[in-house]
Every structure is written in C-alpha cells, then in structure tokens.
Amino acid sequence: MTEESSLKKALPSLLLITITIVLPIISSGLVLLKALENGQGLYELSIWHWGLLALIAGILMGLAILPSSVPLIAGAYYLGYKWFLFYLPAYFLALSIGFFMARFIENGTLLKLAESRPKWKAQITRLQGRSFAMVIMAKFSPVLPFAFLNVVCALAGIRYRTFIAASMIGMLPRALLLTYVAYNGNSMVQLLENTSPAVKWEALGLFIVSTVGMVFIWNRSNRKKSLIKTE
C-alpha cells in the first residue's frame, strides 16, 4: 500500500478529528454572545426547562458542536450545584453519541490501515492495553477537546464500556472544580472566556496532573514491553 493511498483512506479519520477540534471553538463564541443577551432570563427558568437544556447540551456536545465546559460553566453559574445532577446524564449522552458517531462514520478505517503497518498497530495495541488509565488522565486535561478525545478513543478501538467508565471517572475532578468556580464566580463572561484567575489555576493544575499521568502510564507500558522482549 503506497503512502498516497494510505493518506486517501485515512482522510475521513483526519477530517473527523479536525472538525472535533475546530467546530467547538467557533460555537463557544456564539454561546457566549447568547448568554450575554439572555443571561437574566436564565434565572427564571424552571427545573423542567433546565432538564431540557441539559438534553440539548448533551446532544450538541456529542455532535462536536459545543465544548463540554461551556454548558457546565453556564449552568453552574445560574443554577448552582443542582446543575451538576443535570450535567452528568448529559455528559454520558454526549460520550455515547460522539463515540458511536465516530465509529459509524469512520467504519474502522484506521484499524484496517494499522494492520499493514506494524508500528501503527503496535502503538494502537499499547493504547488499548492501557486505555482505562489513559482515558482517565486524558479527561483530566483542560487542553484536550472533549469531542476530539471521544473520536480518538473510538477510532483506536477502545471498548465502549471501558471508554464510558474511564471518561465518567476522569471528568469528575474538573467538572466539580468548574462547578464550584462557576457557582462562586463574579462574571460568567470571565468564566467562559477563561480569564477568571480561579479558572486559570484550575486549568493549570489539571493540565500538570493529566500530562504527568499520561507520560507515566505510557512510559510504564514501554518498560513492561522491554522486559518482555529481554525475557
């Protein structure tokens, strides 16, 4: 298989990954504008309305139209800790939509290409072997986009149950911290634009934990692989 034919076959996967990075960035600006226009009215919404908003947010996050942090911050700012009870099932829905949508669109192309490329296959196999811990650490990160991670996990052949369990565990620290910061924030504009000092410190701490954790897990798998070869 030539490099050109491999690139053509991998194009849908690359395009899907690009969309999951770019689209949420664009849409988050539109959400910020709408929040500024209708912010006061959000205080008057009933619990049922918030439930409907959570459902819509889950669908939009799953389709890579909305970043996961935007509905969390906006909801917690107006509704407080109660919003977290709505956000958890919305997050679960978004994970499932993003995962199965990626599998359906990409249809296993990346894994098929890896079969003819030993280096690709070796890296994917290593990722699958450490998938639970790696996904948890990746979900800690405030840098890696939500939809991007969902797509990468789906394309890498990680099992759905492993992906869901690790994602729900990994999102908790960041989600709880953001809920606390948003509920006690002075300005939703600062929060959504990530200019709040509390948001910056929270993001820095989680980024360090996530990066160190992923590097440690990956290096540990390398050491185990080396030991197996020497034996």
Side-chain angles (χ1 to χ4, degrees), residues 122-132 134-135 152-153 156 158 218:
Q123 297 304 319
I124 290 174
T125 302
R126 280 175 59 199
L127 176 60
Q128 290 172 344
R130 294 283 178 179
S131 58
F132 189 78
M134 285 293 285
V135 172
V152 168
C153 290
I158 294 173
W218 194 255

Side-chain angles (χ1 to χ4, degrees), residues 24-116:
I25 295 173
I26 297 171
S27 64
S28 60
L30 298 175
V31 171
L32 176 59
L33 290 174
K34 286 296 179 183
L36 290 173
E37 290 175 5
N38 307 299
Q40 196 60 37
L42 292 175
Y43 285 110
E44 301 169 4
L45 293 180
S46 68
I47 292 297
W48 297 108
H49 286 118
W50 281 107
L52 179 60
L53 285 177
L55 175 62
I56 294 171
I59 294 171
L60 294 179
M61 288 191 298
L63 295 175
I65 297 174
L66 195 64
S68 62
S69 59
V70 170
L72 175 60
I73 291 173
Y77 182 82
Y78 289 107
L79 196 62
Y81 294 102
K82 291 178 184 177
W83 173 245
F84 199 71
L85 299 176
F86 292 100
Y87 184 75
L88 282 178
Y91 193 90
F92 176 85
L93 175 63
L95 289 172
S96 300
I97 291 174
F99 186 87
F100 287 115
M101 180 183 69
R103 284 256 175 109
F104 176 77
I105 294 174
E106 200 263 351
N107 197 28
T109 303
L110 186 63
L111 294 177
K112 291 173 186 174
L113 283 172
E115 289 296 327
S116 59

Side-chain angles (χ1 to χ4, degrees), residues 167-189:
S167 295
M168 294 301 292
I169 293 170
M171 63 82 75
L172 284 174
R174 182 169 179 242
L176 288 170
L177 279 170
L178 278 178
T179 299
Y180 172 79
V181 171
Y183 183 54
N184 294 283
N186 295 320
S187 169
M188 193 183 70
V189 179

